[in-house]
Amino acid sequence: MRKLHQRCVRTPVFRTLAGSVVVCDAEMARQVLVDTGGQLDHVPAFWRPGNAPLPPPVCAALNRWVHTCLSAEDPGRVAATAVEAVAATRGDLHRACLHAVAEANRRPLGFEHHSNLRATVGEFLDHVFHGMMTGASRYPDIDAFQRLAARAGRAVASGAVPGFPDLDRAIRGEVYLRAVTAFVGASAAALAWLICALRSDELVATRRPAETAPDVPPEHVALETLRLWPPAWQHRRPVLRDHRIGSMAVLRGDELVVPAYALQRHPRYWPDADLFDPARWARLPQRPEAFLPFAVGPGACVGARFEVRWLAAAAAHLSAQPPIPLVRRSATPCVTAVFSPPEHTIGLR
Ligand code: HEM
């Protein structure tokens, strides 16, 4: 990741040895993702059950369901529930954040209507998602995933998840677990980064003293956390048709990569790019083009607005309480499909 970042700072568009085309110029990256010419495939990985993309009307129905669920939620309540749950936990930070965010989303995820669904999701987070997120397991435990998907599918069929789109029996459990991933995965990583950023000095090389001052709006703390540590650290899009990006020819079958992490730390776009400085957001007239934690265009995150609001509320809650005690267990961040902090244990040494 560091090598990719260094190359991005030097070269706006390049092809990697593996054949991906990396676009690290903010204006070009936005054009690529907005994709007015329909040159790219925008179905996110988690709407691909068994690696087969869902038909566009099904994706649209799922996105509408997510959107409707979020509009009924109060970001302040979600944040209070999640922060309280993490603060009450001892043990692995990633695990604690995953469970806390799932619990905070218990209403849309249907735990209230089906007691076994909470246990099924808990097992999915512990035995499948946690390993994928931290890199502890390279491949998911397919048997465990299928067993849990079948259990979740039965609960969804019995009406446990209100408003969930009507889907083929064979895939509905898997799609539900992918919806859990959408609700919980990146949000849990963002919460973990926020806890680390507010708590452990070793993650933040330098900080401005104002960063914890009460006059920094919590939204700016949330935005600065998403800038330095974007859980979706790169946006990948398969190319459907040959075309050009700047001087580079891209071909059907290539993969385009927009490296959000590199863009959000690029010295051309951000003064003191590596500095954790929430106050910078007050100096900006608008969100910079190089800020792309949720992607843009078709396939962009439908939870983006909600995420910033609840993360801001979480920053406010965390600043108002004693710091969560953390012991760091690994030297480097976890870089998988999700970018999350080094492993930590919650609790005193
Ligand atoms: C920090 C937290 C989050 C980050 C960084 C994030 C990031 C993203 C990104 C980058 C995508 C595009 C996927 C791709 O490029 O293939 C995406 C899609 C999506 N996100 Fe998020 N997300 C976050 C939180 C959420 C939340 C809270 C929800 C709501 C439950 C959500 C729901 C979705 C959905 C449904 C899509 C698919 C959109 C589509 O099919 O067009 N995300 N997210």
Side-chain angles (χ1 to χ4, degrees):
M1 190 171 181
R2 186 165 288 279
K3 277 196 183 137
L4 176 72
H5 177 45
Q6 284 163 354
R7 189 156 178 204
C8 285
V9 170
R10 292 194 307 268
T11 325
V13 185
F14 58 90
R15 192 178 278 280
T16 65
L17 283 178
S20 307
V21 175
V22 180
V23 183
C24 198
D25 169 89
E27 200 186 330
M28 246 191 262
R30 275 182 183 263
Q31 274 169 16
V32 162
L33 290 170
V34 168
D35 188 24
T36 46
Q39 332 259 31
L40 307 175
D41 179 354
H42 297 273
V43 178
F46 53 77
W47 285 161
R48 290 172 185 266
N51 284 332
L54 287 170
V58 178
C59 292
L62 283 161
N63 286 347
R64 272 197 308 277
W65 170 72
V66 172
H67 196 268
T68 309
C69 291
L70 291 180
S71 57
E73 290 301 309
D74 168 7
R77 185 203 59 80
V78 170
T81 310
V83 168
E84 208 176 291
V86 174
T89 306
R90 291 292 169 267
D92 182 79
L93 173 69
H94 282 80
R95 224 176 270 283
C97 289
L98 286 169
H99 284 272
V101 174
E103 195 53 38
N105 284 295
R106 60 181 174 265
R107 207 166 15 202
L109 294 180
F111 298 173
E112 286 173 342
H113 298 264
H114 199 291
S115 52
N116 288 340
L117 206 49
R118 176 184 278 116
T120 304
V121 169
E123 271 190 57
F124 166 66
L125 296 176
D126 279 340
H127 301 307
V128 181
F129 197 81
H130 179 269
M132 298 302 292
M133 183 184 192
T134 56
S137 43
R138 186 131 182 243
Y139 301 104
D141 178 343
I142 300 289
D143 289 345
F145 181 75
Q146 283 173 349
R147 183 174 47 79
L148 295 166
R151 244 160 69 184
R154 285 194 289 278
V156 174
S158 68
V161 189
F164 198 72
D166 201 19
L167 294 166
D168 193 307
R169 243 181 112 218
I171 57 166
R172 70 186 154 216
E174 180 175 347
V175 175
Y176 169 77
L177 291 182
R178 286 165 179 269
V180 171
T181 303
F183 268 91
V184 177
S187 288
L191 177 61
W193 277 121
L194 181 65
I195 290 169
C196 291
L198 294 179
R199 166 66 186 71
S200 73
D201 293 337
E202 77 262 42
L203 281 187
V204 184
T206 351
R207 17 169 122 223
R208 291 205 196 284
E211 134 245 341
T212 49
D215 57 346
V216 175
E219 186 185 336
H220 293 173
V221 177
L223 292 172
E224 187 66 347
T225 304
L226 289 169
R227 180 185 75 81
L228 280 177
W229 302 290
W233 63 282
Q234 55 177 352
H235 310 310
R236 309 180 82 94
R237 298 281 187 271
V239 176
L240 298 175
R241 285 208 288 272
D242 299 358
H243 62 289
R244 298 194 79 79
I245 297 174
S247 58
M248 173 82 65
V250 287
L251 307 174
R252 181 165 184 269
D254 281 348
E255 187 174 54
L256 275 176
V257 178
V258 170
Y261 173 90
L263 276 164
Q264 294 178 184
R265 287 178 181 247
H266 199 303
R268 191 189 321 145
Y269 305 114
W270 307 93
D272 297 324
D274 290 331
L275 198 69
F276 181 69
D277 178 19
R280 76 170 74 234
W281 293 88
R283 302 189 290 272
L284 294 168
Q286 58 193 38
R287 288 195 194 166
E289 285 208 308
F291 185 65
L292 285 166
F294 302 108
V296 284
C301 180
V302 294
R305 278 166 63 90
F306 187 85
E307 180 65 34
V308 173
R309 290 173 66 201
W310 97 262
L311 204 58
H317 283 293
L318 286 165
S319 316
Q321 65 176 42
I324 292 180
L326 287 180
V327 179
R328 188 165 166 170
R329 296 204 315 271
S330 68
T332 50
C334 302
V335 186
T336 60
V338 178
F339 177 51
S340 62
E343 294 190 75
H344 284 76
T345 301
I346 305 177
L348 296 171
R349 220 176 271 273

